[in-house]
């Protein structure tokens, strides 16, 4: 127990020790490599991702790495796959000690934060004049851009959709797929009984909870910069009605992450859920009922959900940025990566030249999620202080869902906290 | 003659010099023995603590966290946290959490220790079983408790089964229940440690004293209050101070179970410091909060050392 003296203090100690041992590794990204060409001699690149969560994801990444090593015999890639939350802790340590991996598969929502911390290389000089760059959809480009500089090359996109347990909904007398908020609330209420809840979604105090929260805020025509307005109160009241009035969503959603929600759904404990296509392997593999997916039911201002996805980024300490860029260009070639990324990582096209390519139709949910991805919005517009913004916004949602504060009061308080954190202008 | 006398003089001069060297070596010996420990503590304890204090007066980001130039911002990190209502809430929760869990845990552990200090078949085996909970990593027990306390968890199922519940209680999703629920888990975590400490204190009390008191006609309560308790007090004090430190700085349990939520109903100083530094990347402000925690733990640790000294003097 003694060794657990404050986890955080421990991390600080670790950083200090690593720094002391590593002494003088500063000044990463040596001049030679910064402007240079890919090496001819042997190069070892370190690669980090968090795609070990599924067999399919692992196989897709390993397959691409193997193919690259075969076509580039001088390059060796050392891949490490972390659990999602662990990767950020580990990454923070390497940034502080200037020992970042060369290439990282980074969550688009985190890119502005890490770019602002000086952890990522600016790729603008390479993307300029690269014909592939213009093929990316505008909101995908926006997701990797901070202050006009480009920090990543997107390769995966997704969003959140409504998943339905057809058997339970049918048994509850719900025959029509909910298309708006009223229908969703009514269906959820009908489908709630002693055995299962009507609808589940994560409402955790972190960036996961932000996905459903933003979906409802945007659906009501509000946003994080206008909290306190009618739309935000409407969205919060709606969530409150689901959880506290109708009790069609269990209060446990305040602790449930994506995987917890998916586990409840596959076990028949939630008749509907808001979740992303990344749960497709889990749901299709273990559910014993008929299920389907639909786009998010529309609020008064339509239907929108956050854009999720990852981009390849180069760590600031990379000694071989030109080699990494060569690797990223190879990875951006549809010939090499389209199929494994789409089906292995449950992804959707990120570029115009990927439309209609063979391999994009990897599951029956593809048409539905594609529709949702088309109207998805990037989180990059919330800027580099998104972490703090998310804390304040989630505190607001949790205070409403626990009944600690009425929607209007919670929204006003969150507004005061969030306003100074948003990018100016 | 001159050669001989010179030799004699030299020998005489040499003798005190060698004695001096020997004396210095002898005096330095203990310091040499403790040098590795000092170096070890210096590198792993003093350096990070000093670094942390320095950082609390700076504006640091991930990019220049360990090396590189950083702005000095004076005491603005401290004024920021003192003005922040989040810190006051977290401090209050920390105090309630610590005081509540340590008080309950002490009473339960004392009863258990008194019980297991008796000799009966299986006492020893059961005593060691208690240590199993102590051996489980907190991350594991925290995750298990999170499931147990879920609205659909075993605890609600059991309460419902015996008819004590009409509606499920969402222990960790209710702003009024979350902190008390976590206190219960902390009590569960802390009991083995306190109990083992108290047991060792109890076994050190000579049986003759109890026998003598019994012969003098003291009943069980008097024997406890006038014999056991005064002799157990130093051990109890030391165990309590350690429990307070453990509970006060417990981060893993709360972070895994609730992340400080719902709302900020279980936000304590350690979770607030972690969130500030590692999720919001405000390292200076995070360091300032950690320094507040450090100062509190330091005072408690001093109390522990004083308590230990007293115990040794009494023993």
């Amino acid at each position: 127990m003694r060794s657990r003296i404050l986890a955080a203090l421990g991390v600080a100690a670790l950083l200090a020790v690593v720094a002391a041992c590593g002494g003088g590794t500063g000044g990463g990204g040596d001049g030679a490599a910064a402007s240079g060409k890919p090496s001819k001699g042997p190069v070892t690149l370190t690669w980090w991702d968090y795609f070990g969560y599924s067999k399919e994801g692992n196989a897709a990444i390993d397959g691409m790495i193997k193919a690259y090593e075969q076509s580039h015999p001088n390059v060796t890639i050392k891949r490490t796959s972390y659990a999602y939350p662990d990767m950020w802790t580990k990454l923070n340590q390497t940034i502080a000690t200037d020992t970042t991996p060369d290439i990282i598969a980074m969550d688009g929502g985190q890119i502005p934060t890490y770019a602002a911390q000086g952890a990522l290389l600016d790729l603008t000089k390479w993307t300029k004049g690269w014909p592939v760059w213009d093929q990316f959809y505008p909101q995908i480009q926006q997701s990797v851009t901070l202050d006009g500089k480009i920090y990543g090359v997107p390769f995966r996109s997704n969003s959140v959709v409504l998943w339905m347990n057809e058997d339970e909904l049918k048994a509850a007398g719900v025959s029509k797929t909910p298309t708006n908020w009223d229908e969703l609330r009514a269906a959820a209420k009908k489908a709630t009984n002693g055995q299962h809840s009507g609808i589940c979604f994560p409402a955790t105090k972190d960036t996961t909870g932000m996905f459903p929260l933003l979906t409802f805020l945007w659906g009501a025509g509000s946003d994080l910069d206008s909290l306190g307005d009618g739309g935000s109160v409407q969205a919060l009241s709606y969530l409150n009605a689901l959880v506290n009035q109708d009790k069609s969503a269990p209060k446990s959603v305040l602790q449930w992450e994506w995987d917890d929600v998916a586990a409840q759904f596959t076990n028949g404990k939630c008749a509907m859920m808001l979740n992303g296509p990344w749960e497709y392997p889990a749901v299709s593999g273990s559910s014993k009922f008929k299920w389907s997916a639909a786009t998010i039911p529309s609020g008064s201002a339509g239907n929108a959900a956050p854009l999720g996805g990852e981009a390849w980024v180069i760590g600031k300490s990379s000694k071989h940025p030109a080699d990494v860029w060569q690797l990223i260009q190879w990875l951006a070639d549809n010939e090499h990566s389209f199929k494994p990324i789409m089906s292995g990582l449950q992804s959707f096209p990120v570029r115009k030249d990927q439309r209609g390519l063979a391999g994009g139709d990897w599951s029956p949910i593809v048409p539905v999620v594609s529709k949702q991805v088309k109207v998805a919005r990037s989180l990059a517009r919330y800027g580099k202080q998104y972490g703090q913004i998310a804390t304040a916004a989630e505190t607001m949602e949790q205070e409403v869902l626990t009944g600690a504060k009425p929607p209007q009061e919670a929204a006003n308080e969150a507004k005061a906290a969030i306003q100074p954190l948003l990018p100016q202008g | 003659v001159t050669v001989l006398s010179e030799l004699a003089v030299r020998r005489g001069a040499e003798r005190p010099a060698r004695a001096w060297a020997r004396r210095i070596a002898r005096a330095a010996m203990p310091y040499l023995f403790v040098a590795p420990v000092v170096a070890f503590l210096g590198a792993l304890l003093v350096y990070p603590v000093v670094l942390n204090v320095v950082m609390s007066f700076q504006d640091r980001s991930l990019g220049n966290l360990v090396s590189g130039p950083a702005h000095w911002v004076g005491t603005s990190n401290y004024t920021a946290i003192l003005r922040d209502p989040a810190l006051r809430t977290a401090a209050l929760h920390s105090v309630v959490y610590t005081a509540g869990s340590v008080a309950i845990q002490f009473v339960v552990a004392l009863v258990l220790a008194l019980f297991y200090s008796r000799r009966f078949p299986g006492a020893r085996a059961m005593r060691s079983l208690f240590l199993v909970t102590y051996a489980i990593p907190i991350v594991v027990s925290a995750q298990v408790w999170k499931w147990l306390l879920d609205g659909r968890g075993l605890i609600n199922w059991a309460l419902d089964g015996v008819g004590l519940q009409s509606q499920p209680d969402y222990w960790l999703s209710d702003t009024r229940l979350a902190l008390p629920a976590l206190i219960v888990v902390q009590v569960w975590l802390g009991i083995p440690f306190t109990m083992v400490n108290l047991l060792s204190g109890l076994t050190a009390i000579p049986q003759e004293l109890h026998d003598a008191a019994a012969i003098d006609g003291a009943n069980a309560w008097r024997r406890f209050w006038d014999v056991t308790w005064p002799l157990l007090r130093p051990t109890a004090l030391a165990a309590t101070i350690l429990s307070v430190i453990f509970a006060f700085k417990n981060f893993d349990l709360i972070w895994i179970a609730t992340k400080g939520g719902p709302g900020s109903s279980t936000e304590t100083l350690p979770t607030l410091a972690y969130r500030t530094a590692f999720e919001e990347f405000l390292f200076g402000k995070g360091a300032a909060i950690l320094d507040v925690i450090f100062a509190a733990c330091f005072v408690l640790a001093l109390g522990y050392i004083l308590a230990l000294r007293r115990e040794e003097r009494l023993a």
Side-chain angles (χ1 to χ4, degrees):
Chain A
M1 208 152 178
R2 248 198 170 192
S3 63
R4 284 202 198 95
I5 304 176
L6 282 179
L9 205 66
V11 173
L14 197 70
L15 292 182
V17 172
V18 174
C21 298
T25 45
D30 297 332
S35 60
K37 293 192 171 71
S39 332
K40 295 239 160 47
V43 186
T44 301
L45 301 179
T46 43
W47 168 310
W48 282 20
D49 64 60
Y50 43 78
F51 296 130
Y53 69 87
S54 78
K55 222 170 48 213
E56 294 84 347
N58 245 344
I61 298 288
D62 285 340
M64 289 192 293
I65 289 179
K66 213 171 150 200
Y68 187 79
E69 284 178 335
Q70 268 164 7
S71 58
H72 299 74
N74 66 322
V75 179
T76 311
I77 296 174
K78 274 172 72 182
R79 176 190 176 210
T80 314
S81 184
Y82 292 100
Y84 184 85
D86 295 344
M87 192 177 96
W88 309 110
T89 329
K90 294 273 193 292
L91 188 61
N92 293 347
Q93 289 168 10
T94 64
I95 295 164
T97 53
D98 203 7
T99 52
T100 62
D102 293 300
I103 178 168
I104 308 153
M106 187 172 270
D107 186 339
Q110 303 279 1
I111 288 178
T113 310
Y114 280 97
Q117 297 284 322
L120 311 179
L121 281 196
D122 175 6
L123 309 181
T124 318
K125 65 172 191 291
W126 281 317
T127 53
K128 210 179 274 172
W130 183 40
V132 178
W133 181 252
D134 302 320
Q135 294 290 331
F136 287 97
Y137 295 122
Q139 84 270 28
I140 300 269
Q141 287 182 341
Q142 197 202 354
S143 72
V144 294
T145 309
L146 179 76
D147 299 333
K149 287 179 189 157
I150 293 156
Y151 288 95
V153 174
F155 62 93
R156 183 196 197 203
S157 75
N158 48 41
S159 190
V160 179
V161 290
L162 180 70
W163 301 62
M164 292 167 291
N165 181 326
E166 297 273 351
D167 295 351
E168 284 178 5
L169 288 180
K170 205 170 150 196
V174 179
S175 52
K176 193 173 154 284
T177 300
T179 57
N180 59 45
W181 283 19
D182 291 337
E183 289 173 13
L184 178 67
R185 188 176 166 186
K189 200 171 173 180
K190 268 192 186 171
T192 301
N193 60 29
Q195 265 65 56
H196 52 77
S197 304
I199 185 160
C200 300
F201 52 88
T204 46
K205 197 176 174 180
D206 54 23
T207 46
T208 299
M210 288 303 281
F211 265 64
L213 176 62
L214 287 170
T215 301
F216 285 103
L217 279 178
W218 294 342
S222 181
D223 205 341
L224 292 181
D225 56 7
S226 63
L227 289 177
D229 63 359
S232 64
V233 174
Q234 195 195 343
L236 289 171
S237 307
Y238 184 78
L239 289 167
N240 187 44
L242 290 180
V243 174
N244 292 315
Q245 275 170 258
D246 304 350
K247 300 198 194 308
S248 45
K251 253 193 178 171
S252 307
V253 296
L254 277 79
Q255 268 80 49
W256 286 351
E257 301 280 352
W258 294 122
D259 288 350
D260 303 312
V261 171
Q264 297 284 335
F265 180 76
T266 47
N267 287 317
K269 296 286 184 192
C270 296
M272 295 183 279
M273 70 165 174
L274 297 186
N275 216 323
W278 52 83
E279 297 293 354
Y280 175 74
V283 173
S284 67
S286 56
S287 59
K288 294 180 190 71
F289 49 84
K290 198 169 164 265
W291 61 272
S292 63
T295 49
I296 300 284
S298 302
S300 54
N303 132 338
L307 177 70
E310 284 80 10
W312 304 117
V313 299
I314 306 183
K316 65 155 179 171
S317 327
S318 177
K319 296 265 189 299
H320 314 283
D323 295 277
V324 187
W325 177 247
Q326 194 183 31
L327 168 62
I328 290 178
Q329 280 179 298
W330 185 92
L331 287 167
D333 187 332
N334 286 330
E335 287 267 324
H336 302 138
S337 66
F338 185 71
K339 256 190 190 168
I341 288 178
M342 293 301 126
S343 63
L345 302 179
Q346 301 82 43
S347 175
F348 296 83
V350 290
R351 319 200 302 242
K352 292 171 221 156
D353 61 0
Q354 291 179 334
R355 235 177 286 166
L357 280 186
D361 193 20
W362 47 269
S363 113
I365 63 168
V366 165
V368 169
V369 190
S370 299
K371 241 166 132 186
Q372 195 69 58
V373 169
K374 246 172 233 153
V375 293
R377 298 182 198 170
S378 156
L379 302 177
R381 61 224 189 88
Y382 297 128
K384 52 195 177 191
Q385 309 199 74
Y386 181 63
Q388 280 167 274
I389 294 173
T391 305
E394 270 310 317
T395 303
M396 162 186 83
E397 183 186 12
Q398 294 205 334
E399 280 173 347
V400 171
L401 294 186
T402 53
K405 278 180 190 149
Q408 183 73 59
E409 189 189 332
N412 289 347
E413 275 177 24
K415 182 188 182 161
I418 288 172
Q419 212 80 41
L421 301 170
L422 288 163
Q424 301 308 314
Chain B
V1 175
T2 46
V3 176
L4 274 176
S5 61
E6 214 182 289
L7 268 176
V9 169
R10 252 192 225 164
R11 204 173 290 159
E14 254 174 33
R15 221 170 267 154
R18 205 180 286 164
W20 264 106
R22 204 174 294 155
R23 207 175 297 164
I24 289 172
R26 193 169 293 166
M29 199 66 88
Y31 295 100
L32 282 173
F33 280 128
V34 296
V37 179
V38 170
F40 183 80
L41 288 179
L44 288 173
L45 225 92
V46 179
Y47 177 65
V49 167
V50 170
L51 193 77
N52 202 58
V53 171
V54 170
M55 206 186 287
S56 69
F57 294 103
Q58 291 176 328
D59 177 22
R60 280 199 180 264
S61 68
L62 259 185
N64 64 359
L65 183 58
V66 175
S67 57
H71 287 295
W72 289 91
V73 293
T75 54
S76 70
N77 284 323
Y78 287 95
T79 47
I81 63 165
L82 290 178
R83 257 191 235 130
D84 193 347
L87 182 95
R88 260 167 281 154
T89 318
L92 179 68
H93 289 159
S94 275
V95 170
V96 171
Y97 179 78
T98 307
S101 60
V102 172
I104 301 170
Q105 150 191 335
F106 181 80
V107 173
V108 178
L110 180 61
V111 171
L112 286 171
L114 287 170
F115 180 67
Y116 284 109
S117 65
R118 291 153 172 265
R119 284 198 195 133
F120 57 88
R124 241 201 207 164
M126 287 166 81
R127 224 190 289 166
S128 7
L129 270 181
F130 270 88
L131 280 174
V132 171
T133 51
Y134 188 55
I136 301 172
I138 295 192
V139 270
V140 176
S141 14
Q143 189 60 48
V144 169
W145 276 98
K146 187 182 166 183
W147 290 328
L148 291 176
L149 290 165
D150 190 277
R152 290 166 177 176
L154 187 72
I155 289 174
N156 276 350
W157 180 81
L159 287 175
D160 185 48
V162 296
L164 281 174
Q165 211 179 30
S166 52
Q167 284 266 332
D169 283 306
Y170 291 99
W171 301 101
L172 298 178
S173 306
D174 190 313
T175 41
R176 285 158 306 161
L177 294 177
L179 195 61
L182 289 182
I183 288 176
V184 170
V185 183
Q186 177 69 40
V187 167
W188 180 86
L189 282 176
I191 282 177
F193 175 79
T194 315
M195 190 189 86
V196 168
N197 269 285
L198 293 178
L199 258 174
S200 68
L202 283 175
T203 42
I205 300 172
Q207 184 59 35
E208 296 87 56
L209 291 177
H210 291 285
D211 295 344
I215 290 166
D216 287 346
N219 61 18
W221 171 249
R222 288 299 299 259
R223 284 202 304 266
F224 170 75
W225 193 243
D226 289 329
V227 179
T228 311
W229 180 243
L231 291 168
L232 189 61
R233 215 162 44 192
T235 318
L237 182 63
T240 303
I241 293 175
L242 279 182
S243 303
V244 166
I245 295 176
F246 293 152
F248 188 74
K249 68 182 178 52
N250 191 343
F251 164 79
D252 351 26
L253 167 66
I254 302 175
W255 192 255
I256 290 165
T258 63
K259 286 203 166 164
S264 42
S265 57
T266 58
E267 188 89 286
T268 56
L269 289 174
T271 59
L272 181 69
Y274 182 86
R275 187 192 310 288
T276 310
F278 295 103
E279 297 220 315
E280 300 175 354
F281 298 119
L282 302 170
F283 289 98
K285 198 176 160 194
I289 302 172
L290 282 175
D291 284 337
V292 171
I293 302 172
F294 179 76
C297 285
F298 190 71
V299 170
L300 288 168
L302 282 181
Y304 173 67
I305 293 169
L306 289 179
L308 268 191
R309 287 243 172 105
R310 239 184 84 186
E311 190 179 9
E312 269 161 23
R313 234 182 298 133
L314 286 173

